[in-house]
């Protein structure tokens, strides 16, 4: 049984790895994330299954990319809901499944379907009807390292992992040895009201880390941890971040104030998505494979996201100078 960090107002149980009974409201959501980056940082990806039972749909995203590679993406925000209690999506152009047979243990994620190939990742924000397509096949396992980190006051937990398996893109097959993270959360999630930064990665000295900051107008003890296996994750106080955004609103660099290991996160390959609310509002979700570098010279790779709902620039983001070069 994986160790669960004693932190905050609740503690996940084995039953929490399964689906939960939906609460009230259209935007009640249950979310599973799985991400990975190979040790050399040349290939990475993520899968997200978001369930909206009161909206009668699921969101399914699967992305693979890397420096110098096009974004290969399945982004379906009108996917059929899995069968009651299940997490398998059966759509016209793909089949996707995830299995967690041992709570907080190994998780297997599979996908076989048609994906879009985008030389410019920002195309993911528009109509993909004319984009080139290819077959994308994933067969990957996430293996827990260190333990489970629950958020302090929210039903959400993060699990640092090693990742292994295969990725097939058209005629290319990659054998994956990687690091990553998976998480699970449930409750109301309004993607069109609050902006945030979320980040996780692994450094070359075998340190996994995580941090999250929402822009709600005042500071909190944001979720943040570091772990060096086989030790359990350790909560870190005082996480915050500052970001440079380019003219296209894509992030260029973030400075992460992670206790004991302040670092920069530099995007090297993007995998964004967009989503439309029930009343027609649009939010953008730039997510990127990043290279991390600490102030003491350690490096590593992982994923960072900068959520951008309507009016996000007025949400209290902490900005750096206009260009990253000003902070070198």
């Amino acid at each position: 049984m994986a160790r669960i960090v004693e932190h905050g107002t609740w503690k996940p149980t084995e039953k929490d790895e399964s689906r939960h009974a939906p609460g009230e409201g259209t935007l009640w959501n249950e979310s599973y994330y799985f991400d990975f980056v190979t040790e050399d940082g040349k290939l990475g990806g993520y899968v997200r299954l978001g369930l909206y039972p009161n909206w009668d749909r699921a969101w399914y995203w699967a992305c693979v990319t890397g420096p110098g590679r096009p974004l290969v993406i399945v982004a379906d925000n009108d996917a059929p809901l899995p069968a009651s209690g299940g997490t398998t999506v059966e759509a016209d152009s793909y089949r996707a499944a995830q299995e967690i047979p041992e709570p907080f243990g190994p998780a297997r994620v599979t996908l076989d379907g048609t994906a879009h190939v985008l030389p410019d990742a920002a195309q993911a924000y528009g109509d993909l009807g004319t984009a080139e397509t290819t077959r994308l096949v994933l067969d990957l396992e996430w293996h827990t390292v260190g333990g489970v980190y629950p958020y302090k006051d929210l039903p959400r937990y993060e699990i640092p992992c090693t990742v292994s398996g295969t990725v097939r893109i058209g005629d290319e097959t990659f054998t994956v040895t990687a690091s990553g993270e998976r998480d699970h959360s449930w409750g109301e999630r309004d993607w069109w009201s609050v902006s945030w930064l979320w980040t996780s990665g692994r450094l070359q000295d075998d340190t996994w880390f995580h941090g999250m900051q929402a822009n709600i107008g005042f500071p909190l003890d944001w979720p943040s941890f570091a772990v060096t296996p086989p030790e359990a994750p350790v909560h870190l106080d005082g996480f915050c971040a500052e970001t440079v955004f380019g003219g296209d609103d894509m992030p260029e660099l973030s400075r992460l104030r992670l206790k004991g290991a302040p670092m920069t996160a530099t995007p090297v390959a993007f995998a964004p998505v967009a989503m439309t609310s029930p009343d027609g509002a649009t939010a953008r979700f730039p997510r990127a494979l990043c290279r991390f570098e600490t102030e003491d010279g350690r490096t590593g790779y992982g994923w960072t996201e900068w959520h951008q709902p309507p009016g996000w620039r007025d949400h209290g983001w902490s900005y750096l100078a206009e260009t990253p070069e000003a902070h070198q």
Side-chain angles (χ1 to χ4, degrees):
M1 175 69 179
R3 287 170 293 181
I4 300 175
V5 176
E6 297 287 348
H7 169 62
T9 57
W10 75 291
K11 182 178 180 179
T13 69
E14 293 188 1
K15 291 182 179 180
D16 284 323
E17 286 276 69
S18 301
R19 285 178 58 175
H20 295 76
E24 296 181 356
T26 302
L27 299 184
W28 189 94
N29 166 257
E30 185 153 19
S31 173
Y32 293 86
Y33 271 99
F34 303 85
D35 64 42
F36 71 93
V37 184
T38 56
E39 294 178 357
D40 59 9
K42 293 183 178 180
L43 189 75
Y46 72 89
V47 169
R48 179 181 184 267
L49 174 63
L51 306 173
Y52 278 106
N54 300 335
W55 195 6
D56 194 28
R57 70 189 60 206
W59 291 358
Y60 182 80
W61 308 334
C63 310
V64 179
T65 189
R69 299 188 61 89
L71 170 62
V72 179
I73 182 171
V74 175
D76 185 358
N77 288 350
D78 194 16
L81 278 168
S84 177
T87 53
T88 297
V89 179
E90 300 267 6
D92 291 341
S93 60
Y94 65 90
R95 182 183 189 277
Q98 57 191 43
E99 303 170 87
I100 309 174
E102 177 187 343
F104 307 119
R108 185 185 181 199
V109 175
T110 59
L111 166 69
D112 190 347
T114 300
H116 290 96
V117 181
L118 307 181
D120 177 2
Q123 291 176 260
Y125 290 146
D127 182 3
L128 301 183
T130 61
E132 178 186 348
T133 60
T134 191
R135 185 182 180 191
L136 177 61
V137 181
L138 306 179
D139 190 349
L140 297 167
E141 284 195 353
W142 275 253
H143 298 268
T144 301
V145 295
V148 179
Y149 176 86
Y151 275 25
K152 184 177 181 180
D153 299 311
L154 296 174
R156 180 186 184 119
Y157 53 88
E158 310 278 342
I159 304 179
C161 296
T162 58
V163 186
S164 60
T166 58
V167 172
R168 180 179 171 187
I169 303 171
D171 294 331
E172 289 185 287
T173 299
F174 303 87
T175 300
V176 171
T177 301
S179 56
E181 192 164 292
R182 69 177 180 95
D183 71 36
H184 184 194
S185 64
W186 55 98
E188 182 174 336
R189 180 174 298 180
D190 186 344
W191 290 80
W192 303 275
S193 64
V194 176
S195 60
W196 67 76
L197 176 145
W198 176 105
T199 188
S200 75
R202 179 188 182 187
L203 300 175
Q204 64 194 139
D205 66 351
D206 207 31
T207 298
W208 273 259
F209 64 88
H210 170 92
M212 180 270 181
Q213 176 184 355
N215 298 307
I216 57 175
F218 54 87
L220 289 175
D221 182 16
W222 300 114
S224 176
F225 71 78
V227 56
T228 302
E231 301 301 320
V234 175
H235 174 70
L236 303 177
D237 297 323
F239 177 79
C240 62
E242 302 165 311
T243 300
V244 177
F245 291 96
D248 58 359
D249 289 342
M250 289 293 196
E252 297 180 0
L253 175 146
S254 285
R255 181 157 290 167
L256 309 177
R257 307 296 183 179
L258 191 77
K259 184 177 180 180
M263 67 182 74
T264 56
T266 304
V268 297
F270 283 99
V273 291
M275 63 285 293
T276 302
S277 73
D279 61 4
T282 299
R284 290 185 170 187
F285 189 53
R287 215 168 193 263
L289 191 165
C290 288
R291 183 180 187 273
F292 300 100
E293 183 172 1
T294 66
E295 290 185 356
D296 60 13
R298 290 173 290 163
T299 60
Y301 295 94
W303 283 89
T304 305
E305 64 192 39
W306 302 258
H307 182 51
Q308 298 173 345
W312 65 274
R313 283 189 174 272
D314 299 324
H315 287 192
W317 283 87
S318 294
Y319 296 101
L320 291 174
E322 290 302 314
T323 62
E325 290 76 12
H327 292 265
Q328 298 302 309

